[in-house]
Amino acid sequence: MIRIPVTPQELTRLIEREVPGWLERAARRTRQARQRKRFTGEGIWSEVKGVYMALQHHKCAYCERPMAEGSHANIEYDVEHFRPKSRVTPWPDAKTAKELRIRYKVRNGAAKGYPLLAHDPHNYVVTCKVCNSPLKADHFPIDGTPSEAGSDRAKLDADEKPLLLFPIGSTGSSPEELITFEGILPVPAKRSGHDRKRAQVTIDFFRLHLRTELRDARAHLLVMLWNNLERAQQGSSEQRQRARDVLVAARQNFFPHAACARAFLDLYARDPAKAEAYYLEAQRLMARKEPGLYKRGAAPRS
Ligand SMILES: [Zn+2]
């Protein structure tokens, strides 16, 4: 997970530019929710999905998977309410707690959800279907106490101490300060305290360390990076420059799994032997996955 650096003012400006009048219609719905004390009716958040898709460089906010771009891309993304709009269901259930060997204590957000944030654009990210539907669902694990602060997000955060990281914004801890990578595996960056717990809960909650599609993608990434680290040291100056261009690109926010790439490249700079050990693990994972596929070479049999 990486930070999506945008100020609240910039975010609302982007929304107004994309869908003029949306903010006013959203505010009207929030006033209705305040009167009725719950979320009712149809949501209009899908209309602004494109703003978040572009801001997030067409990647899932939570797992950093790359997703589609262009006119047919919408279908891949869900607009996810960080604080659920109409109810909060407890996490983890007994099966999940056992499976993930969870030993920490978790509380849960307001049981009736956060209807005043249903149309708050600062409560949205776009995510892949896996992160949103089966995993995030209506859960909202916290370390504090459920708050009735309504639409005051700063007070809600102070009261509730959310355990999931929220990547959009330019204040507070960046997700990468809290979650780093040991090779392909995400791990908490801090040794102890609330920030370590937030990292561990976020990793467990979205199963960032377990999902095959994420582990495979990171293994491919590490192999690609290692090959370019080697190429950057040998061959013609043009070949070396091409390899360096790829290494620079891999550090950018637009790159899939950029957090993993940055952690690996930083490790290589400080401890190349350890980076090589992670590369070899990744290479073995890749080669074991579908042995036939990688032995066949470039041309698939027809
Ligand atoms: Zn995802």
Side-chain angles (χ1 to χ4, degrees):
M1 193 185 297
I2 60 167
R3 163 172 275 171
I4 315 297
V6 64
T7 63
Q9 295 78 8
E10 177 69 359
L11 180 60
T12 49
R13 193 188 67 77
L14 291 169
I15 289 173
E16 189 57 30
R17 192 181 69 182
E18 174 100 351
V19 188
W22 186 90
L23 291 167
E24 180 45 43
R25 286 190 288 130
R28 210 177 305 143
R29 280 166 166 77
T30 302
R31 287 195 292 276
Q32 284 171 0
R34 196 181 291 279
Q35 286 161 4
R36 294 171 188 166
K37 295 190 166 52
R38 63 195 175 96
F39 166 72
T40 53
E42 291 288 302
I44 58 169
W45 43 81
S46 293
E47 296 175 26
V48 294
K49 202 188 259 188
V51 171
Y52 297 84
M53 288 160 58
L55 265 179
Q56 293 175 206
H57 304 283
H58 300 89
K59 295 192 289 184
C60 172
Y62 294 131
C63 74
E64 272 210 87
R65 293 161 79 176
M67 297 195 286
E69 292 185 42
S71 56
H72 301 300
N74 264 9
I75 188 74
E76 276 214 273
Y77 301 78
D78 284 341
V79 175
E80 204 282 292
H81 288 74
F82 182 60
R83 280 188 166 83
K85 55 191 176 296
S86 48
R87 64 172 185 167
V88 170
T89 50
W91 182 92
D93 60 23
K95 182 167 168 271
T96 303
K98 190 175 173 198
E99 192 185 345
L100 298 175
R101 295 183 189 147
I102 289 173
R103 295 204 174 84
Y104 46 75
K105 288 264 182 289
V106 173
R107 295 179 187 169
N108 294 284
K112 291 183 177 172
Y114 303 85
L116 302 190
L117 300 183
H119 283 97
D120 181 341
H122 307 289
N123 189 42
Y124 301 158
V125 286
V126 289
T127 71
C128 71
K129 302 282 182 194
V130 175
C131 282
N132 189 33
S133 294
L135 295 178
K136 178 64 164 51
D138 293 320
H139 304 307
F140 195 65
I142 62 174
D143 219 11
T145 49
S147 176
E148 307 216 337
S151 58
D152 184 345
R153 278 176 288 104
K155 176 144 177 35
L156 284 167
D157 284 348
D159 291 346
E160 297 187 328
K161 300 184 176 59
L163 284 167
L164 298 179
L165 304 181
F166 185 67
I168 291 192
S170 43
T171 56
S173 304
S174 156
E176 280 174 277
E177 288 167 20
L178 271 54
I179 298 178
T180 185
F181 286 82
E182 289 177 354
I184 64 167
L185 286 181
V187 293
K190 309 281 184 191
R191 282 165 182 255
S192 60
H194 179 60
D195 280 346
R196 181 184 174 87
K197 186 170 177 182
R198 291 173 75 196
Q200 191 62 59
V201 170
T202 302
I203 291 166
D204 288 342
F205 186 94
F206 291 108
R207 296 172 181 253
L208 300 176
H209 54 327
L210 297 174
R211 287 159 59 189
T212 306
E213 76 277 17
L214 303 179
R215 292 167 62 119
D216 280 0
R218 294 185 207 121
H220 286 233
L221 174 65
L222 260 54
V223 170
M224 184 280 282
L225 291 174
W226 187 265
N227 288 340
N228 280 284
L229 286 164
E230 287 187 332
R231 282 183 203 147
Q233 319 273 346
Q234 53 197 243
S236 69
S237 64
E238 264 180 50
Q239 286 169 324
R240 293 200 301 272
Q241 186 57 47
R242 281 202 295 272
R244 282 197 296 271
D245 289 346
V246 172
L247 297 172
V248 168
R251 300 188 69 96
Q252 309 305 309
N253 282 350
F254 62 76
F255 213 82
H257 306 288
C260 178
R262 293 198 278 243
F264 183 71
L265 293 172
D266 288 347
L267 174 68
Y268 177 79
R270 356 179 251 280
D271 189 347
K274 195 163 186 189
E276 184 170 22
Y278 287 143
Y279 151 69
L280 289 170
E281 273 179 33
Q283 193 276 340
R284 281 194 289 271
L285 181 74
M286 227 174 107
R288 270 203 315 266
K289 180 77 182 172
E290 286 183 68
L293 179 68
Y294 297 108
K295 279 182 192 152
R296 266 206 306 272
R301 254 181 248 154
S302 55

